[in-house]
Amino acid sequence: MLQFKKVAYYTLGCKLNFSETSTIARGLTEAGYARVKFEDSPDVFIINTCSVTDNADKKCRAVVRKALRVNPEAVIIVIGCYAQLKPAEIADIPGVNLVLGAEEKFNVAEYLEKETVFEKSRTAVREIKYAKQFVPGFSRGDRTRTFLKVQDGCNYFCAFCTIPLARGRSRSADVAATVAKAREAAEAGAVEIVLTGVNIGDFGHGTDENFFDLIRALDEVEGVERYRISSIEPNLLSDEIIAFCANSRKFVPHFHIPLQSGSDTILSAMRRRYRTDLYRSRVERIKALMPDACIGVDVITGFPGESDALFAETQQFLTDLPVSYLHVFTYSERPNTTAIRLGDTVPQEVRKDRTKLLRLLSHRKLKAFYAEQTGKAHEVLFEAEEDGGMMYGFTRNYVRVKLPYDAELVNKTTEVYLSEADRDFVCKARREIHAVPTI
Ligand code: SF4
């Protein structure tokens, strides 16, 4: 007999967290716990946290307070990267009952069965070096796109990053097991699968399989119409992967490639494993084979030692590069990283100004990319939600599209013509409808 019946989940952070929340939720549902909405007076709240943002702490506290307002008697369990990094800090938040680390979070059912652990706040977080297990999974029912976790952890230790400390060493399942998960997702209705992980290009690390083997095998899975590679390090995005995507009907022409800086001096200080020449050649190769490809870029402003001249190098590099949008992050000091010891810090105001400049550049890039796509036919996967009589979806190359709501089109790929984008970067679509045949 279960002592708790209803569980609600709250996820902060990245796609990987969403996928892991779904895996944990499915496990608990199979164990007999009902999954309910946050407002439906759950007995247990599971909060999956992120450590990347500056205010992880504030966000976590806010969600705990919100949960306690819904049910002051509820058990509150905090998991995720922030939980692994700062367990004691989280255990001190009033109302938190249990903090679980990177490995322990997958055993939450066992903790829920041991009644006594909830008498007071406690932590069950082992040192991250012990996190060796890979727990695969995918999200289902949370969003139209399904996020398939193919890899976890990272061995790179870039100077600014705490992710290896929160998630441990690079690990994955083998190709066969990962393909089996994709099949399971397809059988559950997944039309588009987003491959997620911490450093997914490092799939198969330490084995004789690699990411290229994985995508070739996934391409054969029946029922999945689209795969999106969420983000891949430029040094691992080989020419053969690019060529394969260009020839595949399923792998879409959308790439997200972290750059972090357009200055080789800063890339070296960041301990990144490539320089700008390699990055440029990857982008050019993609555009040569897939001229309409959408390319997103992560970039950090204000890393220690980033002088005005070095920032200008980044600005120029990005201005010249045929990329579609930037995700700009302002550098912030993180405990236990090597960057924190570098000195030569950039004043906060300067960091913020640089972020603003790059965001303006991103806006111009995105506008130009959308303008290139209008007037063309695109295949769009429409989502279930209705908003003001409209439905929304994405093209293969990640253009956001809207159309008057039609229930017939939900979760199907449909060919439309794009007209101009509005101020929020959503293109109106005109239907010259022919449903695109399933591959
Ligand atoms: S590759 Fe990505 S996850 Fe790994 S250390 Fe560098 S920034 Fe962090």
Side-chain angles (χ1 to χ4, degrees), residues 153-164 198-199 233 258 260 272:
C154 184
N155 294 354
Y156 278 21
F157 291 93
C158 299
F160 52 81
C161 184
T162 54
I163 291 175
V198 172
N199 185 352
E233 288 291 302
Q260 313 307 13
R272 301 286 290 164

Side-chain angles (χ1 to χ4, degrees), residues 215-366:
I215 61 174
R216 278 185 301 177
L218 287 172
D219 206 47
E220 304 291 323
V221 174
E222 268 180 47
V224 181
E225 290 184 38
R226 286 180 175 184
Y227 289 102
R228 220 172 270 282
I229 298 173
S230 59
S231 173
I232 183 163
E233 288 291 302
N235 50 306
L236 297 172
L237 179 58
S238 61
D239 280 351
E240 60 183 1
I241 294 174
I242 296 172
F244 182 82
C245 292
N247 290 316
S248 163
R249 272 293 301 153
K250 295 189 179 183
F251 278 83
V252 296
H254 174 207
F255 298 84
H256 194 94
I257 319 171
L259 168 69
Q260 313 307 13
S261 173
S263 146
D264 284 341
T265 312
I266 296 296
L267 286 178
S268 159
M270 286 175 162
R271 302 166 70 172
R272 301 286 290 164
R273 299 194 178 194
Y274 55 87
R275 297 295 175 260
T276 47
D277 269 0
L278 180 131
Y279 193 95
R280 186 186 298 107
S281 74
R282 297 303 198 234
V283 169
E284 285 170 354
R285 183 99 194 122
I286 291 169
K287 282 298 201 184
L289 297 181
M290 295 164 267
D292 278 332
C294 177
I295 304 178
V297 183
D298 285 340
V299 57
I300 296 173
T301 61
F303 188 78
E306 189 187 63
S307 60
D308 287 346
L310 295 181
F311 174 68
E313 280 181 28
T314 294
Q315 247 182 323
Q316 194 58 54
F317 182 73
L318 286 168
T319 304
D320 295 344
L321 214 57
V323 294
S324 322
Y325 63 90
L326 315 175
H327 281 171
V328 190
F329 302 89
T330 308
Y331 172 75
S332 67
E333 284 74 11
R334 305 255 170 239
N336 303 319
T337 56
T338 49
I340 206 162
R341 298 195 295 269
L342 287 178
D344 201 5
T345 54
V346 177
Q348 293 291 350
E349 278 317 299
V350 177
R351 297 183 201 182
K352 278 189 201 141
D353 287 348
R354 289 178 184 171
T355 295
K356 229 184 264 167
L357 284 171
L358 290 190
R359 290 203 174 132
L360 285 173
L361 176 61
S362 176
H363 192 270
R364 287 200 298 276
K365 294 252 174 212
L366 196 57

Side-chain angles (χ1 to χ4, degrees), residues 13 49 84 143 147 187 217 231 253 359 376 389 398 408 410 418:
T49 60
Q84 176 68 42
R143 297 175 168 202
F147 299 105
E187 279 156 19
S231 173
R359 290 203 174 132
K376 292 182 183 170
Y398 212 53
E408 288 286 302
V410 169
L418 303 189

